[in-house]
């Protein structure tokens, strides 16, 4: 049994984010990626800074390589991400913009990228992290210059460029019902009322083992998303462990991964379960969260961890 087979059996593909570097350098990395995962997303290669470094100048090499790998291995693709406030190119952050010029630049960006991969990317993270940690609209360059309508514009541009792609709003810290999740649901409901092509909510699920969400709150939230008629996908799962990593913590991590997966299966509208990397040897966690590590399903030597076995474990009764 592999995660890939599990995903096929349950109709919820298990995926991984891929960075082009390790993909080329390490044979075990891509062997695991091809064998274990039914879905792939680019960790960085489709973000605006990397892929669109100058106006009208594109750097598709890494993104193309990842898309080709997924096609060769019969894997689905998630596109990440069209509108974000991080990893922007200098020509955007340092440009002199007025509403109409920035709106046009954003539309061109989205249209070019989504068209290029039309038919090969099943779901796009159209807008990423537009709600801040106080549950307020994040004052990004997009919002400051274009106004709150940038979100609606982005979804409409993406839909026009590939009418078959599922379009997601993606964010962190909104796994369980709470202030931020409320704000996102309000945003989503407003978009739907205006007929904006929004199909799902991406829950990043960058979790910390010592601050796990309340699982009943996650269940409630998944139900609320379903009640809006939207899909939900776990888009960037890792469960980081505060050092030192111990067998007990790895078991607790396994339990957390399994619980989230159980809730996803139980929800009925959960259509992907994607981890933010293939293994701990190539994970953003140690670089971004001081004192934490080991958030993924494979360890630094590419061996399967308890969390991997928990996903594949014997058939489960719903909790
Ligand atoms: C991270 C990547 O993993 C890093 O390699 C990069 O340096 C910064 O971005 N939320 C997101 C992802 O939506 O795009 C981020 O990915 C992690 C947080």
């Amino acid at each position: 049994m592999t995660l890939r087979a599990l995903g096929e059996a349950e109709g919820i593909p298990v995926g991984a984010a891929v960075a082009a570097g390790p993909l080329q350098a390490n044979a075990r990395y891509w062997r695991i990626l091809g064998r274990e995962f039914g879905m792939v997303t680019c960790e960085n290669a489709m973000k605006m800074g990397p892929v669109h470094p100058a106006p009208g100048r594109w750097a598709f090499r890494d993104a193309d390589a990842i898309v080709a790998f997924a096609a060769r291995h019969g894997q689905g693709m998630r596109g990440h991400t069209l509108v974000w406030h991080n990893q922007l190119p200098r020509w955007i952050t340092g440009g002199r913009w007025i509403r109409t010029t920035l709106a046009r630049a954003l539309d061109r960006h989205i249209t070019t990228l989504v068209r290029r991969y039309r038919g090969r990317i099943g779901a796009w993270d159209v807008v990423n992290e537009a709600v801040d940690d106080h549950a307020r609209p994040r004052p990004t360059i997009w919002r400051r210059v274009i106004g709150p309508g940038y979100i609606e514009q982005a979804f409409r541009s993406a839909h026009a460029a590939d009418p078959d792609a599922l379009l997601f709003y993606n964010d962190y810290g909104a796994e369980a019902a709470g202030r931020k999740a409320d704000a996102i649901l309000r945003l989503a409901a407003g978009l739907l009322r205006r007929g904006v092509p929004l199909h799902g909510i991406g829950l990043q699920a960058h979790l910390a083992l010592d601050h796990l969400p309340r699982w009943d709150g996650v269940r409630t939230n998944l139900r609320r998303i379903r009640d809006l008629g939207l899909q939900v996908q776990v888009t960037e799962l890792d469960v980081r462990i505060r050092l030192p990593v111990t067998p007990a913590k790895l078991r607790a991590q396994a339990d957390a991964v399994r619980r989230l997966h159980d809730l996803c299966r139980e929800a009925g509208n959960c259509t992907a379960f994607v981890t933010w990397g293939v293994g701990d040897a190539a994970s953003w966690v140690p670089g971004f969260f001081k004192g934490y590590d080991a958030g993924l399903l494979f360890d630094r030597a590419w061996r399967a961890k308890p969390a991997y076995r928990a996903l594949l474990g014997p058939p489960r009764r719903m909790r």
Side-chain angles (χ1 to χ4, degrees):
M1 186 75 161
T2 60
L3 296 175
R4 215 173 150 159
L6 174 80
E8 278 158 23
E10 300 192 322
I12 305 172
V14 180
V18 173
L23 182 69
Q24 284 144 17
N26 188 304
R28 268 198 276 182
Y29 178 95
W30 56 260
R31 216 180 307 125
I32 292 175
L33 180 66
R35 186 184 64 216
E36 290 290 345
F37 294 95
M39 176 161 281
V40 168
T41 190
C42 298
E43 185 168 346
N44 291 300
M46 289 189 187
K47 291 171 179 172
M48 193 172 193
V51 82
H52 197 173
R57 199 160 74 69
W58 291 83
F60 286 123
R61 207 186 49 180
D62 289 350
D64 282 355
I66 294 168
V67 170
F69 180 93
R72 269 203 312 283
H73 292 79
Q75 294 160 311
M77 278 279 324
R78 295 192 86 262
H80 178 82
T81 178
L82 300 172
V83 190
W84 196 26
H85 60 283
N86 282 334
Q87 290 178 278
L88 287 171
R90 278 288 313 263
W91 66 276
I92 290 288
T93 53
R96 298 155 127 267
W97 302 103
I98 59 170
R99 190 173 61 78
T100 48
T101 56
L102 189 62
R104 191 177 322 124
L106 180 60
D107 178 61
R108 286 208 180 131
H109 173 74
I110 292 174
T111 302
T112 305
L113 196 52
V114 174
R115 273 215 191 121
R116 181 179 185 87
Y117 299 115
R118 181 165 47 187
R120 287 183 289 173
I121 291 190
W124 272 102
D125 291 330
V126 177
V127 176
N128 197 33
E129 302 179 354
V131 175
D132 71 12
D133 295 339
H134 309 288
R136 283 195 290 265
R138 192 183 293 277
T140 65
I141 184 171
W142 308 113
R143 184 179 162 96
R144 278 187 282 111
V145 178
I146 302 175
Y150 81 92
I151 294 179
E152 169 165 351
Q153 182 203 315
F155 279 95
R156 292 195 189 281
S157 298
H159 186 64
D162 184 353
D164 294 326
L166 295 173
L167 305 183
F168 280 73
Y169 175 84
N170 191 51
D171 216 326
Y172 64 88
E175 290 76 27
R179 265 160 52 83
K180 186 158 178 178
D182 291 351
I184 290 167
L185 284 179
R186 269 198 306 278
L187 172 67
L191 293 171
L192 292 173
R193 257 197 316 277
R194 290 196 299 283
V196 175
L198 166 73
H199 308 110
I201 304 293
L203 300 174
Q204 293 183 3
H206 291 297
L207 307 180
L209 188 60
D210 48 4
H211 298 282
L212 289 174
R214 298 181 41 137
W215 301 114
D216 56 339
V218 175
R219 179 184 282 118
T220 304
N221 203 35
L222 296 182
R223 196 168 299 144
R224 295 193 304 175
I225 295 171
R226 193 184 56 204
D227 290 344
L228 280 178
L230 293 171
Q231 296 189 14
V232 63
Q233 299 190 341
V234 173
T235 55
E236 307 185 13
L237 175 65
D238 39 35
V239 183
R240 58 184 180 272
I241 293 177
R242 186 183 284 286
L243 298 171
V245 177
T246 64
K249 289 182 191 173
L250 288 170
R251 283 196 300 276
Q253 177 186 57
D255 184 61
V257 168
R258 169 117 175 198
R259 273 169 194 261
L260 186 63
H261 191 250
D262 281 347
L263 290 170
C264 180
R265 292 162 64 236
E266 170 195 306
N269 61 331
C270 178
T271 50
F273 193 83
V274 179
T275 63
W276 202 239
V278 174
D280 294 335
S283 160
W284 76 309
V285 164
F288 278 77
F289 300 97
K290 203 172 156 10
Y292 287 88
D293 201 354
L296 294 167
L297 306 179
F298 291 86
D299 70 12
R300 284 186 176 272
W302 308 101
R303 287 175 306 226
K305 292 163 64 180
Y308 169 90
R309 289 189 289 279
L311 281 179
L312 288 181
R316 299 161 268 197
R317 296 238 327 273
M318 288 301 165
R319 273 176 266 228

